[in-house]
Amino acid sequence: MNESMKTILERRSIRQYKPEHVSSEELDYILQAGVYAPTSSNHQDTKFVIVRKPELLAKISRMNAAVNGAAGDPFYGAPDLIIVFADSNLPNWKQDGALAMGNMMNMAKAQGIGSCWINRAYEVFETEEGRALAREWGLPESYKGVGNMILGYPDCEDPKPSERKPDRFYFAE
Ligand SMILES: Cc1cc2nc3c(=O)[nH]c(=O)nc-3n(C[C@H](O)[C@H](O)[C@H](O)COP(=O)(O)O)c2cc1C
């Protein structure tokens, strides 16, 4: 089977991780996959915040749990995190950000790295604490959170390719 197809079919959301950080070479490939994702009118408005420091990652995890009103670690103990932001002044900012997330998750899988999209990037970075962090990272006010991508080496069996609902194609004539 074509390698790209194999990657797409076999990528699964991973929720159990080893503590080691992904290597900088592997991380670089993942980020390249993010910046090479198409963007509307080629605005290239996506920005990527890479969080590798355990204390900062734990803080963002707590902020994420807080907006969800939940206890526990929504990042499943993953050692690394990429937060995708995009420019909400543009009409397609969410689409641009989501496509970068998809490219990066597939590139992670292609290198044997696990990942999962974790929700609530928007809500977290609309809080006062979240906006303060975004400012610290040099993000303009119009940049809003699209998605959190946790990543790391899986500490679980390779999940089976997931079942997909049937009857989702209609070949229009
Ligand atoms: C927009 C979006 C938000 C998601 N949010 C979460 C989340 O907050 N927590 C989580 O564990 N998984 C989250 N996921 C992962 C989905 O649950 C997962 O992709 C889906 O169950 C299909 O499984 P698969 O990725 O293994 O194919 C999210 C996925 C997407 C696309």
Side-chain angles (χ1 to χ4, degrees):
M1 191 193 293
N2 167 298
E3 281 302 310
S4 300
M5 191 60 184
K6 194 165 145 53
T7 298
I8 288 168
L9 292 185
E10 294 183 356
R11 182 216 53 81
R12 300 296 315 284
S13 292
I14 299 296
R15 299 184 176 89
Q16 217 171 321
Y17 292 93
K18 293 184 177 154
E20 296 82 37
H21 295 286
V22 303
S23 74
S24 22
E25 290 78 15
E26 289 163 327
L27 178 62
D28 190 49
Y29 267 37
I30 292 167
L31 293 170
Q32 288 300 311
V35 296
Y36 272 85
T39 53
S40 173
S41 300
N42 198 20
H43 279 300
Q44 302 191 27
D45 58 307
T46 42
K47 288 185 186 283
F48 304 81
V49 174
I50 300 101
V51 183
R52 311 192 87 188
K53 281 216 170 98
E55 311 78 47
L56 182 57
L57 208 147
K59 175 179 168 167
I60 299 168
S61 166
R62 280 195 298 276
M63 290 163 70
N64 193 300
V67 297
N68 201 23
D73 173 17
F75 293 160
Y76 305 106
D80 296 309
L81 166 69
I82 301 170
I83 314 166
V84 175
F85 290 83
D87 188 352
S88 67
N89 284 336
L90 296 169
N92 289 307
W93 67 279
K94 287 183 187 166
Q95 291 89 332
D96 292 345
L99 209 43
M101 290 284 290
N103 259 22
M104 293 197 300
M105 290 189 289
N106 282 323
M107 181 51 75
K109 173 65 188 176
Q111 300 180 98
I113 293 165
S115 70
C116 184
W117 181 321
I118 305 298
N119 238 331
R120 298 170 294 281
Y122 179 84
E123 293 84 346
V124 163
F125 292 98
E126 284 305 288
T127 64
E128 213 170 292
E129 204 180 8
R131 289 266 30 114
L133 276 178
R135 271 195 294 276
E136 207 178 290
W137 298 331
L139 294 168
E141 286 299 310
S142 63
Y143 271 73
K144 307 292 184 192
V146 176
N148 301 288
M149 175 178 152
I150 53 167
L151 65 159
Y153 302 112
D155 192 17
C156 53
E157 295 282 301
D158 241 10
K160 289 191 181 60
S162 74
E163 291 287 317
R164 291 305 192 227
K165 289 182 185 171
D167 304 326
R168 291 165 67 185
F169 305 122
Y170 179 80
F171 290 91
E173 286 177 18

